[in-house]
Each structure stands twice: as C-alpha cells, then as structure tokens.
Amino acid sequence: MSAVPAPAADAPKSAHTAADYKSDYKPIWCPGCGDYSVLSSFTKAFAILDLAPERIAVVSGIGCSSRIPAYTSCYGFHGVHGRSLAAATGLKLARPDLTVVVASGDGDGYSIGGNHFLHACRRNADLTYVVMDNHVYGMTKGQPSPTTEPDWDSKLSPGGTGLRSFNPLVIALAAGANFVARAFAGDPNGTAEIIAEAIRTPGFSFVEVMSPCVTFRPEQREWKHHVRPSPVPATDDAAKAARRLMTDDGFNIGVLYKGDRPPYQPPMGKGRKTPADLERGFAI
Amino acid sequence: MSRRLLTGNGAAAWGARLAEVDYVPAFPITPQTEIVETLARWCDAGEMAARLTMLESEHSMVTAAGAAAAAGARVFTATSSQGLQYAMEMIFTVAGWRVPFVMVNVSRALASPITLEPDHTDVLSARDAGFLQIHCATCQEVMDGVLIAYRVAEDARVRLPAIVNEDGFYLSFTREPVELPDPGAVRRFLPAFDPGSAAFRASHPASRAVAVLGGAPYSYFRYEAHLAARAALAVYDEAATAFAAAFGRSWPAVERYRSDDAEVVFFMIGAFATKAKDAVDRLREAGERVGLVRPRLLRPWPDAALREALAGKRAVAVIDQNLSMGMGGVLAAELASALHGHAGMPMIVPFVGALGGRDIAAEEFFEIARAARAAAAAGVAPGPRLLYTADELREVRKLQAIAHAERPGAGGTR
C-alpha cells in the first residue's frame, strides 16, 4: 500500500521545499483569487510529506481550479469537464505507487462530475480530492454552480435559482469517503496541513477548500471574518460526524471525519507485473 | 421591422424570442453562454413568456429539451463543442423520439488538445443523429435560420429536432447589422407549434420512447426517421420560399456565389465562406472564373441541388474545417457521395484547414484555386492537403523544444 506514512517524531527535516513543486508557468487567475493560495498549499503539503515530485500526479478537470496541474512540477493531467476523478481512478489503479491528488472546483466536481464524486467516495481508492469551492462557475463568467446559494442573482439566474445548494461534506460522508475535511484558502499553511493529512490517510480523502472568487463573488472576501477552527477534533464515528454537519454553518475549518476503511485495490492475478515492475527495467 | 447591431449569439437569442418559445433548458459553455444569459434576462424582465431552467449538464439539458418538446412545448436550447459531445447520447435519442425543437450550436473545436477556438468537428459529429442541420455564415442567417428551423422541424412531414450552427468567436462574438422582423409577421410565418399526435394529451395516455426487440421494428423506425429527414428537403425549400416572400431575404439550401460561369468553385460551410467570397471577388478581378458553392443545409444533404450547382465545373475545392482522422475532411466525402456516378461532375480537390481557430488567409484561397485548377488539368484527384505554413510549423517546433527542455533540478530522486 502506498499511503504516505506519518513522519516519526525524530524524522529529519524534509529535503524538499514548496518551491521544488512549482513549475515555471505563471498562474493565470484573477488577482485575489483563492486558487493562488490553494496552489501554495499543494506545494507546501508535498514538502511536508517530503515526496519527490515524480512520485506525485496532479489530475484535474476543466475550470479555473483545474489549471493547477501545469503550475506544479509533478506529473499533471488536465482532463475533461467533470471527469477528473474518473481519470485519477484509472491512474491510481494502474500505478498504485504514485500519490494521486485531484484538483477540482464546485462547477466541475459537483455538476457534471457529481456522479463520479459519489462513486469515488464509495469506491474508496487511495486518492485525495481537493475541491476549490467558490459557489460559482468562474471560467464561463459567473453562473450559479451546485453550491451557489438559492437567492444569488446572476445573468443566467436573475433573482436566484431557488434551488437548495449542494452540501459536499454531507454527500462525501454519506457516500463513504474515508476522510472528510473543510479548509479555507485564506489560511494556506492550515490548508497545507489538512491536505498533507488527507494524503497520508489511506483511501478516498475529500478536502473542500473555501476558495473565494473575488471577481464574480466579491462578497466572499468576507469569509475570512467568518471562518473559525472547528471547535471539536476529528471523529472516526460517521454518525457523530453526520450530527455535527446537521448544525454546521459552513465555516468550521478542520478535519471532520477520519475513518479506517481499507482502500480499494482491484485483485491482481498472481505473477502479474505492474507497470512499475516493467518500468524498473528501463531505469537509468 | 428594425435594424440592430447584434452578435451571432445575440441573433440566436432573438431567433428564439421571435419564435416565442415556451421553454429553454440551459447550461453554460464558452462561447455559447451569452445566448442563454440573454434569454434569461428577457424572461426575467417579462419580455419573453418562456421558462428558462439551468440544468446540471448538457446531457440533462438535451434530455429536458426532448421531453418538453414531446409534451408539446416549443423548446429552444444552445450549446457548443464539449457540451454537444457530452449530450451526444441524448442527441441521437431525442431525434428518435421525433420531437421537434431547435438547438443552436456555437462551433468550437474538440479536445484534445483542449481549445476554445472554432472548427466544425463538433457539429459534424452529430450528422448521423437525426437532427436537421442549418449552417450559417452571417448573424442575420443565424436569426433567420432559427425561425426557418422551427418551421421545418415542426412540419408534420418532418418532426425532427434541428441544429442551427454558427462559428464560435468569428460569428458568436462579431457584431453585424441584423434586420429584426415584426413579431406579427413572424407569427404568420411560424404559427404556434401544433404537436399533433406527438403531445401528451389529457385523457389520452401514451407511453413514449419505448424499447423494441428485433431488427424489424428497429429498422422500420430508423428508416422512417431517415425518410422524414429526406422529406425535409422539400419542406426546407417551401419554408425558405415563404421566408423570402415574407421578409425579403432568400436563404436557399445551397448558396451559389458567382458560380454560374465559374470553372473552379470553393466549397465550404459557415462563416469562413465570407472570406472565400472576398477571395472570389479578387480572383475575378484578376480574370479567373472562380465562384463559391455553400450548402446551408447539411442534414438533410441537398445532393440534387449540389449536383445542379456543380455540374459542368472543372474542379471543386472543398475546404473542410474539420478532420475525420484516418479519412480526411467530412465535406469532401459527403460531396463525393453526391457527385459520384453522375455525368459532368467536377473533380473534388480536398483541403483541410482552419482547425482550432486557425485563419485562412486570402493568399491561401488563391493557392487553393490554383491547385484545384492544376489538379483538374492533370486529371488526377489529390488526397487531402492541410492548410499549414512553414512559419506555423516552426512556432510549434519551438513550443515542443520548450516542453522537452529539462528544467534544472527536475526529475530524478533527490
């Protein structure tokens, strides 16, 4: 199993810094976008875990958040709208030795990607799914996403959609995710710690990052005044986690649930070589 | 009648508004979003009596469109590129339901590589689905095409959904003067949708979209839809004639531009044909007998009208803004199917170009005309030729060199 072990108390300092995971490409996001700091949290989390960049694959779909793979020096895959989890699942099952991190947004991940989200939680492959949630389709310039409030006014939904917003944490928990957390882009170090813990935890880890869209949802600048560390530590009791979500106002930051369900690994015939075995022969 | 500067997307929205549609299922995608946002604004302001709903995907959007049309509503929707691909399962399915509605597709090239810029591979992938297809070259045609599409699609002899296609960016975001007809005149041209037996009616329960066992009923229903699409050739001609009488604008199934005495004709669809017309004018000034033939109607395929337009020409240079990998351009193959076995037809000289938003320069049209003439003189039909310059290849090689470059410190274990 390739889950990244927790460092021992006397472990030496990481040989990597966050800069080791940054590519030469300058990110193209609006000034003030929360995704800049999520990118920073990715690279900090990788440094905390001391993973070589070539042991990591960052997979995404389509949307502002999905630009992230090219901004890292890891393996990257920019997929099709909503399909990041399907691509990541295929990759992880073929290459269980890689740490696979999936980057998505609320538009990409919860509408066209919604079905994949349910089944990825249920399947519990060893993936870390980071969704940058800003309650809006940003790349198509401001339409309501599944997490948008019912009364948010937009060109496509004058007066609001009137639809209940999707609760990703509830869905993840109900569908069987092994790790469920909420983070805030305004705290890149805290988010990095949560992403690192999500990667360390075997199975499907879901991290919802509140990542403000200052262009189409400028009121989200206020999030920084509302977020707070979760008053209670993570639980391994799904029923307890569910009860907490019933009273959750959406601003508690931290790990909500951490289970111990064994990750999905398809049975492999005896003597079958993995792609990694085959690759060994070509190592220089 | 009034005249306004509208983008192709604005013209598409006006088409839906003037058609007095009842229902608009919507989902955003670049470069289409402006159409449904415009309709949402009008619905909200009470300028349109339609209901607009944002769905969670294009797949659901086309499903909802088909179901609403089956229930007797006049339905409009719009999409583009990857959205059309995602809906493709339902594109085939709702055509089989024989429900008429109109969907504007704003053509954009398909992944991979991912791009936002236009070509026609997206819409041509739907050509076997049972949707009628009208291809537009100007913003006026987009608006008028929506109205004509409803009339043809809803005709009792047809009853099939229709795609009205406009090129992303080049047409979707370009403003042109567009004549807006009076709503009363539009109502006379396009009366309210009479769904006939296709509607769900009170006290007449009927189950739709059923499964069949065995090839006989399946073949029957598929071929019946094919015959309906073929019937749409005559229905389109009637509609275009009625449209010209009502509004003074003529949109025959096949456009001919300075082609009557031409020896060589350009053959293409969509907005880039306006560039071909400009090249025709310049070549004519230089004394060359060159013209343009442009099918507006792609489904049904107006084969007889194409033969009539092309008979006696020496060469037809087909410019495909699409690519069927392993074969070449789709239009060249479609045209061959129309011309083969008929006497006096020109040689087909195929080109593939303008993929993913690439331009076609005037000089390239001149070279295409020259190559077509040369091929006809030599009597040997060439294979498809890609419009691509040495400069472009150099630029791509530079990008590849950057991508292959080892970054300091990258790779290897540390």
Side-chain angles (χ1 to χ4, degrees), chain B residues 119-300:
Chain B
D119 68 32
H120 297 145
T121 306
D122 62 346
V123 66
L124 291 176
S125 72
R127 73 188 190 279
D128 303 333
F131 271 63
L132 313 174
Q133 286 198 15
I134 295 175
H135 286 256
C136 305
T138 64
C139 295
Q140 183 75 61
E141 268 185 82
V142 174
M143 195 203 73
D144 293 353
V146 169
L147 299 176
I148 293 172
Y150 275 110
R151 177 147 158 170
V152 178
E154 291 174 359
D155 191 286
R157 294 164 285 178
V158 179
R159 299 258 187 236
L160 287 168
I163 289 172
V164 175
N165 201 68
E166 56 160 320
D167 297 68
F169 294 80
Y170 288 94
L171 214 50
S172 68
F173 299 146
T174 303
R175 279 178 203 280
E176 293 178 342
V178 175
E179 299 274 0
L180 294 180
D182 295 326
V186 174
R187 262 176 233 129
R188 283 189 294 280
F189 170 75
L190 181 66
F193 176 30
D194 172 13
S197 63
F200 285 106
R201 286 180 297 171
S203 309
H204 287 81
S207 184
R208 294 183 53 93
V210 296
V212 293
L213 284 176
Y218 182 84
S219 304
Y220 175 87
F221 287 112
R222 296 302 288 181
Y223 204 75
E224 198 184 42
H226 164 69
L227 294 176
R230 293 302 292 174
L233 282 169
V235 177
Y236 180 91
D237 288 345
E238 286 171 27
T241 304
F243 192 92
F247 306 107
R249 290 187 294 277
S250 179
W251 306 121
V254 176
E255 181 189 23
R256 306 180 193 191
Y257 181 75
R258 302 185 78 168
S259 69
D260 287 353
D261 68 338
E263 293 172 341
V264 172
V265 294
F266 298 127
F267 186 90
M268 57 198 304
I269 54 175
F272 275 53
T274 55
K275 301 188 71 132
K277 284 185 186 176
D278 182 60
V280 165
D281 291 347
R282 290 162 72 171
L283 286 163
R284 286 265 172 187
E285 281 167 25
E288 298 223 25
R289 283 160 63 187
V290 175
L292 166 80
V293 170
R294 173 174 72 97
R296 272 194 191 86
L297 201 56
L298 197 114
R299 282 293 179 273

Side-chain angles (χ1 to χ4, degrees), chain A residues 24 54 83 137 143-144 155 158, chain B residues 33 37 44 54 86 407 412:
Chain A
D24 306 333
E54 66 272 19
R83 313 295 174 201
Y137 288 91
Q143 295 79 30
K155 280 190 195 171
Chain B
T33 308
E37 284 186 341
D44 183 54
M54 184 173 160
Y86 184 33
R407 283 193 291 275

Side-chain angles (χ1 to χ4, degrees), chain A residues 16 20 24 53-54 62 73 78-81 83 111-112 137 139-144 155-156 158, chain B residues 26-30 33 36-37 40-41 44 52 54 56-58 82 86 114 407 411-414:
Chain A
H16 291 94
D20 293 335
D24 306 333
E54 66 272 19
I62 296 286
S73 60
H78 195 166
V80 182
H81 190 79
R83 313 295 174 201
S111 53
I112 288 181
Y137 288 91
M139 194 167 262
T140 48
K141 302 201 181 101
Q143 295 79 30
K155 280 190 195 171
L156 192 55
Chain B
F27 192 76
I29 183 168
T30 304
T33 308
V36 288
E37 284 186 341
R41 188 174 78 239
D44 183 54
L52 182 142
M54 184 173 160
E56 70 279 8
S57 73
E58 291 88 354
Q82 302 296 130
Y86 184 33
I114 301 164
R407 283 193 291 275
T413 41
R414 276 172 286 174

